[in-house]
Amino acid sequence: MPAYTYEVALSFAGEQRDYVRAVNQALKALDVKTFYDDDHAVDLWGKNHTEELPRIYAEGSHLVLMFISEHYVDKQWPRHERRAILTEMTQRGSPYLLPVRFDDSAVPGLDSGWHYLKAEEFTPERLAEAAYAQLVALGVREPRSQAMETSGGGTFAVETLASADGIGSALPAVDAAGLADLLSRPASQRPEDIRSALDFGTSQPIEVPGEQIVVETEGGVSALGGANRVILQASGLAHLEGKPAGLRFYGPQDRLMGSFEGIVTHAGLGRLGSALEVGFESGLDVIACVPFTEGTNGTVTTRLHLDSLSPDSTRRCVGTVLQLHDAHTAEIVLDGLSLAKVGGFAGDRDAEYLTALRMVYEAADDLAVIQRETGVYFPMPKEIESYERLWIRTIRLMLEGLAAPVPRKVYRGVARSDIDPASMLDEGTLDIVMPGSGITVAGHPVPLDPFVIYHPHAVFSGVSESLEDVTLGVEHPREFEVRPADETAFVAYLPDRLDPGVRTSTPWSISGVDDPPPTRLVRGAA
């Protein structure tokens, strides 16, 4: 393999510097040698950048992370870098270019089918981990060491689980950096995780008491001494990582219900079978354990990590988990080939968990529609208040050309001297136009056209008192109130989008929420 000065070079436009700087810091925390322009300002001093930068990106780096945006496509310096990178890409026989998108800008010379990651779906730390995995695949780096802690507090390297034959040789000792910095995720003491790691070779790090580990040496068999606990992690089958894999979901009578496809992130072998771990949308890991013995039940488990994902990706990840739990059987597919079928998912054992997942799915689905229709994008919020949740569904229904119930039950206002109070004393029609520019969703402003708040039979109270204060010039006049005259709700709609065929409000239909009776639209096309 040619010798390169840098392991990873970062090519980007200045508008994305904050994100790229954080990626650079995360890579350096993994001890990766990077080229990031600010770090090499002195090295570049006095050199011709039109010659030096393309040389670094093309000839001096194992990998290049290309951060694509409209600014990256349009600006001069990224253009110089990009030409050199794309030329080098055609000459390399190994992975080299790793695109990361901030938007959908077309890159001249880069095929539209090139696989990329979305910056909005990856924290800088997770992107750095993904780049490190590519270095491992190239043979530039070894998988990061695991560790075990002795009773005296010192930390040593952990034995890794070799394919099916138990424990491999120990790695060299490391300092007491702490398990959290060395493992891909915290070690588990759960019996089911220990069984999965030993029996199938799953990647979950596990913690086992030191006295339970037996070590074979030339002198015979003995218990592992000097440690009160040992952390083990399966080494995996590197040749399968990165291959397409997924599941097909089947219902009663083997009816196909759906499927998903992702990328193998880990494959392992254990005493009883094999494990296949598939990553999907950067927010879902599916772990399938397939036994060697035909007719023996396997298992499929899922692990969601939704932080920083978009609502659309959240919807797809959570929807996949719901499909799996609704299925009777699932077929495991690797690189287009069927490996096995596992079953036994449908049931009520996880009812509370599934209810919570369905609520997340519904909220993510609503926000994905709002983002698509308004062009405003932000990550899936971690929490949504119940009142705001109703407004999110209302806004979605409005954008889809429907009239939706409004969570607010009372509207208040100050009388105007140019309005006859007699017209507002009895039951009447409320039909007011609200500005859409002030709407926020999950703390983010969302541009809406002006929309109408409507009710055909509203009751006004306090109009005379409010008008009296206005007439007398009272500084803070009393407000009148308006409420629906019956059990139906105020409704909202966008006049330019409202389907002419709509004659009643469309219910929220949110899990766990009681809808008001439908409001009949009797005027205004309604």
Side-chain angles (χ1 to χ4, degrees):
M1 181 179 293
Y4 295 103
T5 305
Y6 305 101
E7 291 173 304
V8 177
L10 310 172
S11 179
F12 62 98
E15 286 75 7
Q16 283 73 50
R17 182 172 294 279
D18 288 347
Y19 179 88
V20 178
R21 181 189 297 113
V23 173
N24 180 55
Q25 291 169 346
L27 284 168
K28 291 198 293 186
L30 297 173
D31 199 30
V32 174
K33 190 172 184 181
T34 64
F35 177 80
Y36 172 70
D37 56 3
D38 277 0
D39 290 347
H40 297 275
V42 174
D43 298 336
L44 296 172
W45 190 13
K47 296 180 180 178
N48 186 337
H49 287 195
T50 59
E51 298 176 358
E52 188 66 13
L53 290 178
R55 185 195 65 76
I56 290 171
Y57 287 106
E59 303 170 17
S61 305
H62 279 286
L63 296 174
V64 170
L65 296 186
M66 178 187 287
F67 295 89
I68 298 170
S69 66
E70 60 176 326
H71 309 102
Y72 185 83
V73 172
D74 293 339
K75 297 181 77 170
Q76 178 182 3
W77 284 114
R79 194 179 306 130
H80 284 304
E81 298 167 10
R82 185 174 70 247
R83 287 171 181 164
I85 293 166
L86 295 179
T87 300
E88 182 72 9
M89 182 182 69
T90 64
Q91 300 173 7
R92 296 259 186 123
S94 60
Y96 162 67
L97 172 61
L98 302 176
V100 181
R101 282 195 174 274
F102 284 88
D103 56 38
D104 294 328
S105 298
V107 179
L110 182 63
D111 190 286
S112 60
W114 200 267
H115 185 68
Y116 58 86
L117 301 180
K118 293 182 179 180
E120 68 179 26
E121 296 177 359
F122 275 75
T123 63
E125 291 74 21
R126 287 189 64 207
L127 188 66
E129 291 280 1
Y132 190 95
Q134 292 290 335
L135 291 172
V136 172
L138 283 173
V140 178
R141 285 302 189 101
E142 294 293 329
R144 288 193 291 154
S145 302
Q146 287 78 47
M148 70 180 182
E149 185 177 308
T150 69
S151 55
T155 303
F156 300 85
V158 162
E159 317 272 355
T160 56
L161 297 176
S163 52
D165 57 356
I167 299 177
S169 59
L171 297 169
V174 295
D175 60 21
L179 296 175
D181 294 331
L182 295 168
L183 295 174
S184 57
R185 54 188 182 277
S188 173
Q189 296 177 321
R190 298 195 314 165
E192 57 266 37
D193 290 336
I194 293 174
R195 285 195 298 269
S196 294
L198 295 174
D199 292 346
F200 297 95
T202 57
S203 67
Q204 169 64 52
I206 57 173
E207 180 179 323
V208 182
E211 65 270 14
Q212 293 185 14
I213 302 296
V214 175
V215 180
E216 290 188 19
T217 65
E218 291 182 0
V221 177
S222 62
L224 181 66
N228 63 358
R229 61 194 187 110
V230 178
I231 307 301
L232 303 174
Q233 187 170 30
S235 55
L237 306 173
H239 68 284
L240 293 179
E241 293 180 8
K243 288 186 176 294
L247 297 174
R248 297 178 184 138
F249 307 120
Y250 294 90
Q253 289 81 49
D254 275 347
R255 179 175 56 85
L256 182 65
M257 297 171 54
S259 64
F260 96 98
E261 184 173 289
I263 298 296
V264 175
T265 57
H266 173 85
L269 289 174
R271 298 176 300 186
L272 302 181
S274 60
L276 194 67
E277 303 183 15
V278 183
F280 177 63
E281 289 282 340
S282 307
L284 171 64
D285 297 322
V286 175
I287 303 100
C289 293
V290 184
F292 292 136
T293 306
E294 189 174 352
T296 306
N297 284 334
T299 62
V300 175
T301 56
T302 57
R303 184 170 59 241
L304 286 164
H305 37 89
L306 304 177
D307 285 355
S308 302
L309 285 191
S310 68
D312 192 41
S313 292
T314 300
R315 175 181 60 84
R316 289 197 291 268
C317 289
V318 174
T320 297
V321 176
L322 290 172
Q323 276 191 315
L324 176 61
H325 279 271
D326 288 340
H328 283 231
T329 58
E331 182 181 22
I332 304 166
V333 180
L334 172 63
D335 209 8
L337 299 175
S338 176
L339 295 185
K341 271 191 176 182
V342 293
F345 307 108
D348 299 327
R349 61 190 181 279
D350 297 322
E352 186 175 340
Y353 172 68
L354 294 178
T355 298
L357 278 187
R358 288 192 173 91
M359 294 176 70
V360 172
Y361 176 86
E362 291 177 357
D365 191 41
D366 286 347
L367 287 171
V369 171
I370 291 172
Q371 291 189 350
R372 185 179 68 242
E373 293 292 327
T374 63
V376 175
Y377 295 94
F378 48 84
M380 182 71 188
K382 293 183 178 179
E383 293 184 10
I384 300 175
E385 297 292 336
S386 56
Y387 182 77
E388 184 178 35
R389 178 71 190 91
L390 298 178
W391 265 112
I392 288 172
R393 178 57 61 88
T394 295
I395 292 170
R396 176 200 176 146
L397 294 173
M398 290 165 57
L399 290 168
E400 291 180 332
L402 301 168
V406 173
R408 191 168 177 179
K409 297 181 178 180
V410 180
Y411 278 89
R412 295 178 176 87
V414 174
R416 287 166 34 192
S417 57
D418 60 337
I419 296 180
D420 181 4
S423 64
M424 302 172 65
L425 291 178
D426 299 318
E427 190 174 304
T429 298
L430 179 71
D431 193 347
I432 56 175
V433 178
M434 305 289 286
S437 56
I439 295 295
T440 60
V441 174
H444 299 269
V446 173
L448 283 183
D449 291 335
F451 59 94
V452 173
I453 299 292
Y454 172 84
H455 197 279
H457 304 296
V459 175
F460 297 82
S461 60
V463 176
S464 298
E465 292 81 357
S466 180
L467 181 61
E468 179 182 353
D469 288 354
V470 170
T471 304
L472 295 174
V474 174
E475 184 176 357
H476 299 291
R478 285 169 288 180
E479 294 181 323
F480 66 85
E481 293 184 349
V482 55
R483 305 169 183 266
D486 50 29
E487 295 301 313
T488 62
F490 292 119
V491 299
Y493 62 84
L494 289 161
D496 292 339
R497 292 189 181 227
L498 185 65
D499 185 336
V502 171
R503 288 294 175 264
T504 60
S505 62
T506 301
W508 292 308
S509 299
I510 297 174
S511 298
V513 173
D514 293 329
D515 285 294
T519 303
R520 184 165 177 264
L521 279 67
V522 296
R523 61 186 298 273

